[in-house]
Amino acid sequence: MLHLLHPPIEPWLVRGERGVALNLFADRGPGLAIWLRCEPGNEARTIAMRPAGRVAGLHRFEAELPWDAHNQPTVYCFKVIERGQQCWLAADGKHARLPHRDQMFRIHRSERPPAWVRDQVFYQIFPDRFCQGDPSLAVRDGEYVYGTRRRPVVARPWGELPSRQHLAIEFYGGDLVGVLDRLDYLQHELGATALYLNPIFTSGSNHKYDTDDYYNVDPHLGGNQALAALAAELRRRGMRLLLDAVVNHTATNHPWFNLHGQHDTVGAAQSPESPWRAWYAFDAAGEYVGWNGSRSLPVLDFACEGVQRQVYAGEDAIVRHWLRPPYSIDGWRLDVIHMLGEGSGATNNAHHVRGLRRAVREESRDAYVLGEHFAEATRWLQGDQEDGAMNYYGFAHPLREWLAGADIEGAPSALATPDLAGWLDAARGRIPHDNQLAQLNLLDSHDTARFLTVLGGDTALMKLAVTMLFTWPGVPCIYYGDEIGLEGENDPDCRRCFDWDRARWDQDLFEHYRARIALRAGHAELRHGACLVLHAEGDVLAFARFLPDAATVVAINRGRAPADLRLPVWKLPVAAGAWRGATRRMPLERGEHGEQVLPIAVPARGEIVAHADTAAGEPAQGSR
């Protein structure tokens, strides 16, 4: 079967002023007619590709892709004819006919995620549950009443299990002072390089997705001073900081909605005479619209110019303010960004998300724009809106179904390995490669059950998931406590307190996290490289991440029996005389047709990671 490969990385893809010099690899040369197909100005165009020598046994072809002056991203695919038969290569693999535009490779001419993002290991912190640094800041039992039901808040001892009875009103006393105190642990012991904090702005709830004041950090978390101190220390250490922007809705206690600022009063914005009424969405019956039906989360109406100015367009807009000193945060995670819009729905959503991006980039050309999407998010990830998304759809969901046998709603799902590979590749293929590397890959979060709990406490399978997290294309994000074996069902149980008693940690799992973080840090191909699935059958998924002078193969076996594989590493444009694993050299063998294959034995419910020995390999070739 004809092998075709287009790695969308340098030196095999080089941007230029007029277009892109790019390469295609094939395992056969003579007898092939190859065209690059593109659609500048929506008009189909084919460009003959030229033979350009060989790399590691593969035939290389090259051509110049013109930028599409009318549409971004620029899309393209490849057409191959051999012995009168057509074969097409798109971003999700080979096709027998012209692929759909959504399946084509794509590259944005000017908009790319910040280069620093792909090198990070993010650590997500739910501030109330990570660490208490200053007990005097903690919410006191009954200190105030919360919500329309006027329920007194509850102070809980650290480590007690969260209660569904109390949900948003129970507090354990974690704060930003505690985060600052634990930076040595996060950076030096674990290896995290960037923090993502769940909302920290003033709010009466523990989760703070119902904001009272966008310009002040909640005093129970330490206030603005604590954030400034944390941000300064992170900068000193070379670490990054991502904050959560909740601008689809506010709290009913926000002054725009409630002029009195009381937790138990009726929203002033409901009055037709209120100057803030136009800031919120109302239905035909004159009732304000609550996010997802929740009366405690009134939805902002972005048809209102005042809302636009306050959130992103104005000189001191929310998303601009915190990008400036003394905070100088490194980016925003945009909560439920797909639901933001005009009126009661997401009308003109793309326009306002582009406005948010533009404002962020005006303040900092190097800021990361991350969107929250529980489902497929392709249209937000074409380069002009978000740099990346919380990658539930393209990573967490398929991996959960493959390893746990259940979907995100807990329904049974027996996902076969070929379907896993197809899902992963299709999700990646519909967005530019630069954005693929900026996707925030995660196993779980504050909104889902802990992955270890979903696996029934099976640490062997959890280790496989962790290895995927640190080797698959994208930026890994650890939900606080996963690394020590913290468990939890769905919210609120997934928001348990971090256990700082090391005697209760799963040390084996912790060391596995440390090892995989170090693996990613030590191999540039795992952060910057292209990806090719080499095997997806039975219970084993094997893939390669590669650069011109480096390659890593990862094989993961979810089954209860060992698997002997002969991986077709000849498909990679990387010259290697041998491969090496953790403890030994792994010589290559010859396949049925003389091609190089890598024999490996993957243990039951285990993994193999191997690296190409390219010391004696030929130099990389490509268009320049």
Side-chain angles (χ1 to χ4, degrees), residues 305-324:
E305 291 186 6
V307 172
Q308 297 173 31
R309 287 194 302 270
Q310 198 74 59
V311 173
Y312 66 85
E315 175 62 23
D316 195 32
I318 295 163
V319 299
R320 296 177 185 271
H321 178 83
W322 300 97
L323 288 161
R324 298 169 181 168

Side-chain angles (χ1 to χ4, degrees), residues 25-40:
F25 291 96
D27 61 337
R28 298 194 285 278
L32 294 184
I34 302 181
W35 286 270
L36 168 66
R37 185 190 184 279
C38 51
E39 298 182 356

Side-chain angles (χ1 to χ4, degrees), residues 486-603:
L486 193 62
E487 293 205 46
E489 299 287 352
N490 287 321
D491 173 24
D493 196 38
C494 59
R495 304 174 183 184
R496 297 182 187 181
C497 296
F498 193 103
D499 189 346
W500 290 103
D501 183 348
R502 292 172 181 254
R504 292 194 288 264
W505 290 13
D506 185 327
Q507 292 292 342
D508 188 43
L509 182 60
F510 180 65
E511 290 303 324
H512 186 74
Y513 266 92
R514 284 165 41 89
R516 289 299 171 247
I517 291 171
L519 172 73
R520 189 173 189 274
H523 292 271
E525 64 270 26
L526 297 179
R527 308 189 306 275
H528 303 270
C531 180
L532 178 66
V533 173
L534 298 174
H535 179 94
E537 299 177 15
D539 288 316
V540 181
L541 174 73
F543 58 93
R545 298 291 307 281
F546 61 95
L547 293 169
D549 57 354
T552 293
V553 163
V554 180
I556 293 177
N557 179 11
R558 67 175 178 178
R560 295 187 175 276
D564 293 321
L565 306 179
R566 290 166 60 82
L567 297 179
V569 293
W570 60 267
K571 292 184 175 183
L572 303 173
V574 179
W579 291 68
R580 52 186 171 79
T583 59
R584 65 183 181 89
R585 194 168 184 268
M586 305 168 70
L588 293 165
E589 295 182 357
R590 294 291 177 180
E592 183 179 351
H593 303 290
E595 70 277 15
Q596 288 187 330
V597 296
L598 176 64
I600 61 172
V602 191

